[in-house]
Amino acid sequence: MTATSTPSAGELFRLVQSGRAESRADLSRLTGLSASTVALRVEELIAHGYLEETGRGVSKGGRRPRMLAVSAGETIVAAVDLGERHMTIVLMNRRGEVLADSNQPLSLLDGPQRVLVDVWDKVQELARELPGTRIEGIAMSLPGPVDSRDGRLLAPMRMPGWNGIVVADLLRDITGLPAHVDNDANAMAMGEFVERGQSVNELVFVKAGSGIGCGVIVGGELYRGYRGVAGDISHVALAGAPPVICSCGRVGCLDVVASGAAIVDALRESGIAVDHLEDVLALAADAHPRATGLLREAGQRTGEVLATIINFFNPRVLAIGGQLATADAFIAGVRQAIYTLCLPMSTDLLEISVSAAGPLGGARGVGDALLAALLEPERIDRDLKATSSKIE
């Protein structure tokens, strides 16, 4: 909306969606449009299922205003957080409210086509629990770097057969719906931002699980960098780290010395029978000294990398999510490194905490991004115009 243009119906919707406007009077005051013009556009948005009235507000001297909100409606979006061995599915309405969720096993080794077909089958199965709803789009977070220019996966670790795949295109072919795809750490950062009421404008989110990634919120927006790989800390080489070779060809990268997969490998080399990260966490919960020590060491190494980010970026919040965030020893290691290596002026007001968004954060974050795209003012205006043309 520019200073010289007349605000469209879609732009009025955005004011309500953002929380800046709650009534027709608010919309008239914010846009300068006459009450009659606002009323006509609001009625159009209500008739097309974008807005709804939610009752009467508090009087400010005249009649109590009729309050407006985004309509929950009958349309939903499906959002999927894809992990190495599982998928988390959430179904959200246009308000971003989670209506249903599910966690299902999978294997990325099955390849893109088979995995995505399986995902779509599970999404439709979950949607059947919400009769009368219609899926209008699908979003997915992926455990690998995604080129923000074309959505192509860039040399993902632990995803053989996925390199160079444009997952959003494949999703659109399989589902016939609009699709949005992002890296899992970016999605979790957005989920954390939304969970905190979009009030923490400088936030660093660390996803610590089988792999390690990072998402950065700057000025209330996800910072992607030129190709969309900003925050990819997995290949930062650590001084003094064990000479373990990484998939990138170098040695001592954070991912191969501090990730969940690295801890599993280290325990196996010690003769301790573990299959997955869950086994490591179970050992640590029973005070197993080797498992606990490795978790704390992994946290310290992760904190070493994060210390540079904290000093440079000076965020308000460092949030840690993923399976490793459930281990007290890992979190303690992160804290120790950061408070040792960072300047006091960078840490005296810094909040270091486990993710507030929880296990649904990644799916909610990527789903919210899809909703933002589906509910762009221009898209809404096109929909209203097309419907009006059909009526005429």
Side-chain angles (χ1 to χ4, degrees):
M1 185 168 63
T2 66
T4 58
S5 64
T6 300
S8 66
E11 287 164 337
L12 297 189
F13 171 87
R14 177 56 58 87
L15 289 172
V16 175
Q17 184 191 39
S18 67
R20 294 179 61 195
E22 296 181 329
S23 66
R24 292 167 176 80
D26 288 343
L27 290 171
S28 183
R29 174 177 53 81
L30 289 169
T31 63
L33 293 175
S34 67
S36 59
T37 300
V38 166
L40 285 171
R41 292 182 181 172
V42 166
E43 291 307 313
E44 190 176 18
L45 289 166
I46 291 174
H48 286 78
Y50 288 107
L51 293 180
E52 64 181 37
E53 293 182 344
T54 59
R56 294 282 183 174
V58 178
S59 172
K60 296 181 180 179
R63 289 185 299 176
R64 293 169 60 197
R66 288 178 289 173
M67 305 303 287
L68 300 171
V70 174
S71 175
E74 299 176 349
T75 58
I76 57 176
V77 297
V80 184
D81 182 17
L82 206 64
E84 189 176 347
R85 298 187 300 110
H86 77 283
M87 58 176 157
T88 300
I89 304 171
V90 303
L91 301 180
M92 305 164 57
N93 62 23
R94 283 179 171 176
R95 295 176 183 168
E97 298 166 338
V98 175
L99 304 180
D101 66 89
S102 174
N103 192 281
Q104 304 278 348
L106 62 74
S107 174
L108 294 180
L109 299 179
D110 290 338
Q113 181 72 30
R114 182 174 172 183
V115 167
L116 297 185
V117 168
D118 187 36
V119 167
W120 180 231
D121 288 342
K122 293 296 192 295
V123 164
Q124 293 178 96
E125 182 180 318
L126 185 60
R128 283 193 283 273
E129 298 180 10
L130 302 172
T133 60
R134 173 179 60 84
I135 303 173
E136 64 174 338
I138 184 166
M140 180 175 287
S141 68
L142 299 166
V146 177
D147 193 324
S148 59
R149 301 172 303 171
D150 58 13
R152 195 175 304 276
L153 269 167
L154 300 170
M157 298 176 66
R158 306 182 187 93
M159 296 180 73
W162 291 74
N163 183 43
I165 298 296
V166 183
V167 175
D169 286 351
L170 195 51
L171 272 176
R172 279 188 283 267
D173 291 342
I174 291 169
T175 67
L177 298 172
H180 172 76
V181 167
D182 206 344
N183 165 260
D184 57 358
N186 283 344
M188 294 171 86
M190 280 303 303
E192 189 74 11
F193 178 64
V194 172
E195 177 66 22
R196 291 171 179 264
Q198 302 186 24
S199 61
V200 180
N201 289 332
E202 280 71 41
L203 180 148
V204 171
F205 188 96
V206 180
K207 180 257 183 181
S210 296
I212 297 179
C214 181
V216 182
I217 302 292
V218 180
E221 300 285 343
L222 181 67
Y223 181 73
R224 298 181 180 279
Y226 174 60
R227 294 192 69 181
V229 296
D232 187 359
I233 61 175
S234 59
H235 295 289
V236 175
L238 292 163
V244 181
I245 191 165
C246 179
S247 64
C248 70
R250 299 185 301 166
V251 296
C253 290
L254 179 65
D255 193 89
V256 294
V257 299
S259 66
I263 298 171
V264 169
D265 290 342
L267 282 173
R268 286 175 178 168
E269 290 173 5
S270 299
I272 300 169
V274 291
D275 293 322
H276 304 294
L277 181 53
E278 293 89 342
D279 302 326
V280 178
L281 298 174
L283 287 174
D286 284 336
H288 188 286
R290 179 63 173 154
T292 303
L294 286 172
L295 284 166
R296 187 178 188 96
E297 182 181 319
Q300 289 172 336
R301 294 193 182 281
T302 303
E304 289 178 30
V305 174
L306 292 174
T308 300
I309 296 173
I310 299 301
N311 278 331
F312 174 78
F313 177 48
N314 184 212
R316 176 181 164 191
V317 170
L318 169 63
I320 306 171
Q323 285 181 292
L324 287 176
T326 65
D328 291 341
F330 181 84
I331 299 297
V334 172
R335 289 179 180 275
Q336 179 182 352
I338 287 176
Y339 287 125
T340 299
L341 299 174
C342 287
L343 295 170
M345 67 182 71
S346 295
T347 58
D348 57 357
L349 297 177
L350 173 67
E351 175 191 332
I352 303 176
S353 62
V354 174
S355 169
L360 301 184
R364 289 182 61 193
V366 76
D368 191 76
L370 173 63
L371 280 172
L374 292 175
L375 297 175
E376 280 283 349
E378 295 82 1
R379 196 173 191 273
I380 291 175
D381 291 333
R382 287 197 299 271
D383 179 37
L384 299 184
K385 184 176 181 180
T387 305
S388 299
S389 299
K390 289 178 182 178
I391 294 174
E392 293 172 1

